[in-house]
């Protein structure tokens, strides 16, 4: 469903323009007649319909086509005398740990400012009320509306950044535990930080170029743009710092995981070494015990013709052979550190 809201400003205040409510062309005509400007906001989830509505107002064709596609980054472009600005207001769902960026397209043409969104999540009514309470802002023209929108978006980033940084602090506490889900949490937050960086990193450059363009039109820099540039740079730096922190956290987690694996492998190796020592000892004593058994079994075969059976020293010889064989094996195993 398409929602069109119009407001006409002149003399530092909003004025009633008969027949201009909800009609962009009538609002622009009324603003020209009053020597002011019109603010037209369009909310529609159909990008093609958005582009068609804006084209009917008479904006630059390329600017109208830009509305037919989504943008991942904030930007500022000029098409002839028209200006096209993309803002990315963000919200943070702390429970799901997800950042949601909505797109707001702003087109500045002579005597009119158009805002086009696919959702109503940016509080445009709040911006209108704020402008109504500050006539000195409205007196600056449509650039004041653009300034108020940037200020609102930058203020919204503060809550988003605080929420993400709070979750990063929780991750740092999890790093030195055995929670296997922490790596997934870090990866998910990295993805959200990247989306947030797409929205915030271009802002300082956008505001720099936009401020220069407005200063060239007005003949002097509009008050407040310097402050916006400083805040945008601060937001961008915080986002980049969060990305570096998450990268470091993932590296530390991988290091800790490898360290734990190494410790487990060392413990397993130690167990195997102890088992091998026990096997060697058991095997050695088994071999020593087998030697007399072998001699006894040999003489226990009950063959009739065995030369030692009829000799008086046959029995002592067999016993001695058993002792010598066992002692020899003991010495050999002892020298080889099997016993």
């Amino acid at each position: 469903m398409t929602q069109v809201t119009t407001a006409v400003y002149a003399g530092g205040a909003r004025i009633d323009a008969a027949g201009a409510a909800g009609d962009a062309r009538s609002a622009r005509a009324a603003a020209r007649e009053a020597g002011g400007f019109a603010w037209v906001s369009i909310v529609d989830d159909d990008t093609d319909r958005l582009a068609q509505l804006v084209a009917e107002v008479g904006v630059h064709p390329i600017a109208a086509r830009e509305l037919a596609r989504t943008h991942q980054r904030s930007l500022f472009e000029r098409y002839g005398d028209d200006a096209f600005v993309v803002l990315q207001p963000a919200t943070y769902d702390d429970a799901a740990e997800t950042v949601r960026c909505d797109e707001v397209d702003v087109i500045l043409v002579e005597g009119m400012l158009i805002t086009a969104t696919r959702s109503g999540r940016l509080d445009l009514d709040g911006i209108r009320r704020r402008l109504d309470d500050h006539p000195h802002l409205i007196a600056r023209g449509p650039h004041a509306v653009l300034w108020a929108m940037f200020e609102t978006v930058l203020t919204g980033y503060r809550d988003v950044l605080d929420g993400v940084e709070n979750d990063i602090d929780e991750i740092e506490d999890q790093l030195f535990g055995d929670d296997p889900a922490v790596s997934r949490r870090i990866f998910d937050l990295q993805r959200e930080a990247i989306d947030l960086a797409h929205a915030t990193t271009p802002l300082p450059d956008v505001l720099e170029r936009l401020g220069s363009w407005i200063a060239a039109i007005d003949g002097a820099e509009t008050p407040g743009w310097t402050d916006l540039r400083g805040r945008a740079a601060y937001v961008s730096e915080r986002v980049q710092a969060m990305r570096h922190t998450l990268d470091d956290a993932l590296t530390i987690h991988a290091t800790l995981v490898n360290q734990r694996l190494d410790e487990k492998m060392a413990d397993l190796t130690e167990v195997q070494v102890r088992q091998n020592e026990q096997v060697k000892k058991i095997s050695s004593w088994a071999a020593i015990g087998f030697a007399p058994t072998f001699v006894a079994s040999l003489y226990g075969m009950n063959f009739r013709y065995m030369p030692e059976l009829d000799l008086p020293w046959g029995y002592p010889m067999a016993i001695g052979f058993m002792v010598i064989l066992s002692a020899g094996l003991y010495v050999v195993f002892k020298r080889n550190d099997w016993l």
Side-chain angles (χ1 to χ4, degrees):
M1 180 178 179
T2 304
Q3 178 183 351
V4 180
T5 304
T6 60
V8 179
Y9 298 91
R14 188 192 303 194
I15 64 174
D16 294 328
D23 184 78
R25 290 182 177 179
S26 299
R28 187 179 189 183
R32 285 178 174 175
E33 183 178 350
F37 69 94
W39 177 10
V40 178
S41 64
I42 306 173
V43 180
D44 199 322
D45 58 2
D46 188 329
T47 54
D48 292 332
R49 190 161 51 234
L50 270 177
Q52 181 180 357
L53 289 171
V54 172
E56 291 175 356
V57 181
V59 302
H60 196 281
I62 298 180
R65 284 200 300 269
E66 282 294 314
L67 286 175
R69 68 184 187 91
T70 57
H71 303 81
Q72 300 297 324
R73 299 174 180 270
S74 302
L75 63 86
F76 164 63
E77 295 293 345
R78 291 179 53 190
Y79 303 109
D81 294 330
D82 299 347
F84 180 76
V85 179
V86 175
L87 293 174
Q88 299 280 344
T91 55
Y92 187 62
D93 185 344
D94 188 57
E97 295 186 354
T98 56
V99 175
R100 176 161 190 163
C101 292
D102 295 301
E103 179 177 336
V104 179
D105 298 327
V106 183
I107 300 177
L108 281 168
V109 298
E110 183 183 359
M112 183 170 60
L113 178 140
I114 304 172
T115 58
T117 64
R118 284 107 180 136
S119 68
R121 276 180 283 273
L122 181 64
D123 187 12
L124 296 178
D125 290 334
I127 297 176
R128 291 190 188 92
R129 290 192 297 270
R130 181 178 180 183
L131 290 173
D132 291 340
D133 294 336
H134 296 83
H136 65 284
L137 291 177
I138 301 175
R140 299 176 186 173
H143 304 154
V145 180
L146 189 58
W147 176 88
M149 294 186 68
F150 269 103
E151 201 276 338
T152 301
V153 171
L154 288 171
T155 300
Y157 285 143
R158 181 173 56 194
D159 294 334
V160 175
L161 295 175
D162 289 343
V164 175
E165 287 180 344
N166 180 67
D167 290 331
I168 291 176
D169 291 339
E170 294 177 359
I171 284 177
E172 291 176 348
D173 295 334
Q174 284 183 281
L175 275 178
F176 297 97
D178 293 327
D179 187 359
V182 66
S183 58
R184 177 71 184 189
R185 189 180 183 188
I186 295 173
F187 178 79
D188 289 342
L189 277 177
Q190 276 184 321
R191 182 178 57 196
E192 302 305 319
I194 290 172
D195 292 340
L196 193 56
H198 289 164
T200 59
T201 301
L203 279 177
D205 179 67
V206 167
L207 287 166
E208 178 71 30
R209 295 169 54 214
L210 187 58
S212 299
W213 178 69
I214 293 174
I217 295 175
D218 296 343
E221 186 176 82
T222 303
W225 285 103
T226 301
D227 177 67
L228 287 181
R229 287 197 296 270
R231 292 172 61 184
Y234 172 71
V235 169
S236 178
E237 289 170 0
R238 283 184 68 181
V239 173
Q240 295 302 322
M242 287 191 303
R243 292 187 62 186
H244 291 317
T245 301
L246 288 169
D247 289 341
D248 293 341
L250 194 59
T251 301
I252 292 172
H253 178 66
T255 302
L256 291 175
V257 169
N258 290 333
Q259 182 179 348
R260 294 190 189 104
L261 289 175
D262 291 341
E263 291 174 354
K264 290 181 179 179
M265 290 299 297
D267 293 340
L268 181 60
T269 302
E270 186 178 350
V271 170
Q272 291 176 339
V273 170
R274 288 199 300 266
Q275 288 178 342
N276 290 338
E277 293 295 328
Q278 297 297 327
V279 168
K280 289 194 295 184
K281 290 180 180 180
I282 293 172
S283 300
S284 300
W285 286 114
I288 293 171
F290 176 73
T293 303
F294 171 74
V295 176
S297 62
L298 182 63
Y299 279 91
M301 292 181 181
N302 294 324
F303 288 116
R304 182 175 181 181
Y305 300 104
M306 294 185 72
E308 294 85 359
L309 294 179
D310 296 331
L311 298 177
W313 42 267
Y315 178 74
M317 183 193 69
I319 296 298
F321 183 62
M322 293 179 186
V323 172
I324 292 172
L325 186 57
S326 298
L329 290 174
Y330 178 84
V331 172
V332 171
F333 291 138
K334 192 69 174 178
R335 286 182 176 177
N336 288 279
D337 200 23
W338 280 42
L339 292 173

